Amino acid sequence: MQVTLTEKQMEVFDHLQLDIRKLLMVSQLKETKGQETKVEVTHASGQVDPRDRLYHDDIGADTKFPMFSKKNAEIVEHDFPDLTSEQLED
């Protein structure tokens, strides 16, 4: 998804500390600044990570957990160091 916001709109989101991506519930968001608000909806690239159900372009970057994005594989590895991908498939 691509969203074009005015400078004032961006300031409001920043002031309120709102994450537009989470607010719109989208996996990938490209924000640009413009004179008027525009929204372009497109299909996210990549594959869905079963851990967070978001689309990621780096699924399989970690060979120990090939079903996860790099970030989610790092989280699982840190929190559950003895876990293997085979155990997750059960």
Side-chain angles (χ1 to χ4, degrees), residues 17-63:
Q17 298 179 338
L18 293 175
D19 184 337
I20 299 172
R21 185 183 63 83
K22 289 181 182 177
L23 184 67
L24 296 174
M25 297 189 314
V26 295
S27 296
Q28 299 167 351
L29 179 68
K30 181 179 178 183
E31 297 175 50
T32 58
K33 190 182 341 179
Q35 297 298 318
E36 58 186 46
T37 305
K38 295 179 187 176
V39 176
E40 180 183 343
V41 178
T42 56
H43 193 280
S45 64
Q47 298 174 318
V48 175
D49 183 314
R51 184 171 182 278
D52 62 11
R53 303 299 305 156
L54 297 175
Y55 281 83
H56 296 271
D57 291 322
D58 61 353
I59 298 290
D62 185 319
T63 56

Side-chain angles (χ1 to χ4, degrees), residues 79-90:
D79 292 347
F80 306 97
D82 297 328
L83 188 66
T84 66
S85 64
E86 290 78 22
Q87 292 170 308
L88 292 172
E89 293 174 2
D90 292 340

